[in-house]
Amino acid sequence: MSTLEIEARDVIKIVLQFCKENSLHQTFQTLQNECQVSLNTVDSLETFVADINSGRWDVILPQVAQLKLPRKKLEDLYEQIVLEMIELRELDTARAILRQTQAMGFMKQEQPERYLRLEHLLVRTYFDPREAYHESSKEKRRSQIAQGLLPPGTQFDLFRGTAAVKADEEEMYPTTLAHTIKFGKQSHPECARFSPDGQYLVSCSVDGFIEVWDYISGKLKKDLQYQADDSFMMHDDAVLCVDFSRDSEMLASGSQDGKIKVWRIRTGQCLRRLERAHSQGVTSLSFSRDGSQLLSTSFDSTARIHGLKSGKALKEFRGHTSYVNDAIFTSDGGRVITASSDCTVKVWDVKTTDCIQTFKPPPPLKGGDVSVNSVHLFPKNSEHIVVCNKASSIYIMTLQGQVVKSFSSGKREGGDFVAACISPKGEWIYCVGEDRNIYCFSQQSGKLEHLMKVHCTSRHCDQ
């Protein structure tokens, strides 16, 4: 008999839906607050669209805050609300939306002319609809936004907690350095990660601190109460790696003394301590798809899977002859892929812990074998991985070790890659070189499309 795995968050969402349908408002609110799981639905699509067309923004804004919608759609919506608030001379409200919402913060960074136009209209003593809406009108703009946010026939997926909106945002490589986050002279960052939902940027450093940043402003996120109170997530030793759970609720951190901690990102609460996860420093962490297990690698030449409920090591993968630098689960969770300083990539069976494949990426131009820095799932093909070794080329490879595609910096010296990451849809492969450049490769063309100088000297410049 086959079994169906359901994530705990999805069970909570079903209970929330039951509470909502049966008017159990207090139970609904308590459960949502305690579990920090939102239902992320609207009661009626027709009413939602009608409210937008009527400009009932006081009703729309609280609902939109609960929905995960594409950023460009949110920018269009907030722009419209700002224009209407200016027209009504509700300037404080217009100013707050323009300057304090995340979507408009992105607009300011990426489309400064569009943003400054709104700032310009805000300080005007009069409102000209023709200037504000160009060849359109307020009513037409509302209608377009309503259709754009939720096209006709859109259904909300209770389990995904999101509208099934077509992913129409084109992926583009970064072109400008937005902010530089500076650390003290006695400290430096070892690793940095964005959360899957894009809400958090977390860094971990050699002084043991784990910090959450507002990447729009480049400053610490003070809306997290524990950081506002100067009470940070931390270890007793240098923190070498961090990773988020798929739902962005939990953060795992690994330190030089072999310990692992799991935190709730919103509260800073330590949920689990794995005091003897490894005998030496923890080099990488990766949550399982359902968030119940944690895959770790170490300088002790092993990779291990830990159960978060029991806090115990469930599996150990032993066979590398040097440091294990990185490990990931395959998409189906049935295999683990490891990258090591012994110059090999290994593929393991999760159930048996047997090594089922060992291979080396092609050697660098200068000859000899080099350490493998990291391995990454390739979004466009679940049977392919991206392999980054300490060389001036990076490879898309099969799980049998065959090279599918290679991307090169073109440098014989000084351009060796030290870290890499893949864009969410797999259109771009980003590498950081020893020369402190970010190399932006197009997966489609195989060419180096952009080169950008960055202020990064750390060994781990992840994502």
Side-chain angles (χ1 to χ4, degrees):
M1 180 180 170
S2 62
T3 58
L4 174 67
E5 288 188 12
I6 301 177
E7 292 187 26
R9 286 171 60 82
D10 294 337
V11 175
I12 293 167
K13 286 182 180 180
I14 292 171
V15 177
L16 285 170
Q17 184 68 26
F18 173 83
C19 293
K20 193 172 185 179
E21 290 172 358
N22 290 276
S23 301
L24 302 172
H25 303 301
Q26 192 171 351
T27 307
F28 178 93
Q29 204 62 48
T30 303
L31 184 61
Q32 188 163 264
N33 292 341
E34 288 287 324
C35 299
Q36 295 186 325
V37 174
S38 297
L39 197 52
N40 288 335
T41 62
V42 292
D43 292 327
S44 164
L45 291 179
E46 290 77 16
T47 304
F48 185 74
V49 170
D51 285 341
I52 292 175
N53 284 325
S54 302
R56 288 193 274 271
W57 305 122
D58 57 327
V59 176
I60 289 296
L61 280 174
Q63 295 183 72
V64 166
Q66 295 295 316
L67 305 177
K68 292 182 179 178
L69 296 167
R71 195 208 312 162
K72 287 182 180 177
K73 308 288 188 189
L74 285 176
E75 287 175 359
D76 291 343
L77 173 68
Y78 286 150
E79 182 180 43
Q80 181 63 25
I81 297 173
V82 168
L83 289 172
E84 293 196 25
M85 292 302 104
I86 294 172
E87 183 177 6
L88 293 168
R89 309 315 288 167
E90 295 282 352
L91 300 182
D92 287 343
T93 304
R95 194 176 291 111
I97 294 170
L98 186 59
R99 297 177 184 175
Q100 295 175 23
T101 58
Q102 193 174 47
M104 301 311 277
F106 278 117
M107 183 190 287
K108 185 178 180 180
Q109 290 285 336
E110 297 176 3
Q111 302 175 70
E113 289 183 9
R114 183 180 176 189
Y115 177 88
L116 288 171
R117 173 178 168 270
L118 296 174
E119 286 278 11
H120 179 65
L121 292 172
L122 189 61
V123 297
R124 284 277 188 87
T125 55
Y126 63 91
F127 181 83
D128 183 351
R130 288 172 299 180
E131 183 182 11
Y133 301 119
H134 300 303
E135 296 178 2
S136 186
S137 67
K138 178 167 61 181
E139 291 71 24
K140 284 181 182 177
R141 285 283 296 272
R142 285 176 179 176
S143 178
Q144 288 167 354
I145 288 166
Q147 291 178 9
L149 278 179
L150 297 173
T154 297
Q155 296 297 313
F156 271 85
D157 184 335
L158 177 63
F159 292 108
R160 285 173 56 211
T162 180
V165 178
K166 184 184 176 185
D168 58 354
E169 294 191 57
E170 185 184 351
E171 286 191 339
M172 276 304 296
Y173 53 77
T175 56
T176 56
L177 181 65
H179 293 287
T180 299
I181 297 173
K182 294 185 178 179
F183 291 76
K185 290 183 179 179
Q186 302 301 314
S187 179
H188 64 262
E190 284 285 341
C191 179
R193 281 281 169 102
F194 281 111
S195 58
D197 66 4
Q199 296 298 306
Y200 305 106
L201 170 63
V202 169
S203 68
C204 60
S205 48
V206 75
D207 58 9
F209 282 93
I210 301 161
E211 293 163 303
V212 189
W213 304 89
D214 179 343
Y215 56 88
I216 296 174
S217 68
K219 296 177 181 177
L220 278 173
K221 273 184 81 71
K222 293 291 188 174
D223 56 345
L224 294 171
Q225 191 58 49
Y226 59 96
Q227 291 202 153
D229 296 338
D230 288 333
S231 176
F232 293 90
M233 299 178 283
M234 66 180 300
H235 283 249
D236 294 330
D237 210 334
V239 187
L240 306 181
C241 55
V242 287
D243 188 55
F244 277 96
S245 58
R246 187 163 157 250
D247 61 8
S248 302
E249 295 287 336
M250 292 188 291
L251 179 79
S253 54
S255 56
Q256 180 72 48
D257 54 11
K259 295 178 182 177
I260 292 172
K261 293 183 180 182
V262 180
W263 313 84
R264 187 174 296 287
I265 190 76
R266 291 189 194 179
T267 63
Q269 176 191 3
C270 186
L271 303 174
R272 174 67 71 186
R273 289 177 174 84
L274 309 179
E275 296 288 344
R276 291 181 290 278
H278 286 276
S279 60
Q280 295 180 44
V282 182
T283 53
S284 81
L285 292 165
S286 181
F287 276 94
S288 62
R289 191 172 176 82
D290 65 359
S292 67
Q293 297 178 350
L294 195 58
L295 173 62
S296 65
T297 60
S298 171
F299 291 128
D300 66 10
S301 304
T302 69
R304 292 175 181 168
I305 294 176
H306 312 267
L308 293 186
K309 285 183 181 175
S310 66
K312 295 178 180 177
L314 306 177
K315 305 280 183 181
E316 181 178 83
F317 305 93
R318 188 176 286 274
H320 282 293
T321 57
S322 186
Y323 307 148
V324 185
N325 299 318
D326 195 20
I328 52 174
F329 288 101
T330 52
S331 299
D332 61 7
R335 289 161 292 178
V336 160
I337 306 162
T338 53
S340 171
S341 290
D342 66 10
C343 313
T344 68
V345 173
K346 289 181 181 285
V347 183
W348 312 78
D349 183 283
V350 168
K351 285 185 180 177
T352 64
T353 70
D354 291 337
C355 179
I356 52 182
Q357 198 77 44
T358 300
F359 58 87
K360 291 182 179 180
L365 293 171
K366 57 194 172 191
D369 292 326
V370 290
S371 172
V372 185
N373 299 317
S374 58
V375 283
H376 311 264
L377 293 177
F378 185 52
K380 291 182 175 292
N381 189 326
S382 61
E383 290 299 308
H384 291 171
I385 56 173
V386 176
V387 180
C388 174
N389 59 357
K390 200 171 181 300
S392 57
S393 293
I394 189 167
Y395 303 95
I396 298 176
M397 304 181 75
T398 68
L399 296 181
Q400 292 72 44
Q402 296 167 311
V403 175
V404 177
K405 210 165 194 177
S406 64
F407 309 83
S408 175
S409 72
K411 285 192 174 183
R412 292 192 71 87
E413 291 182 7
D416 288 351
F417 300 140
V418 294
C421 71
I422 321 301
S423 65
K425 296 179 190 174
E427 297 292 346
W428 300 96
I429 296 175
Y430 304 116
C431 301
V432 175
E434 286 181 329
D435 55 7
R436 304 186 195 182
N437 283 318
I438 284 183
Y439 293 80
C440 306
F441 294 105
S442 165
Q443 177 277 141
Q444 193 169 10
S445 70
K447 294 178 180 177
L448 175 63
E449 297 290 345
H450 189 63
L451 185 65
M452 185 174 151
K453 198 77 173 178
V454 290
H455 300 279
C456 187
T457 57
S458 172
R459 198 163 44 82
H460 292 285
C461 299
D462 205 342
Q463 297 190 346

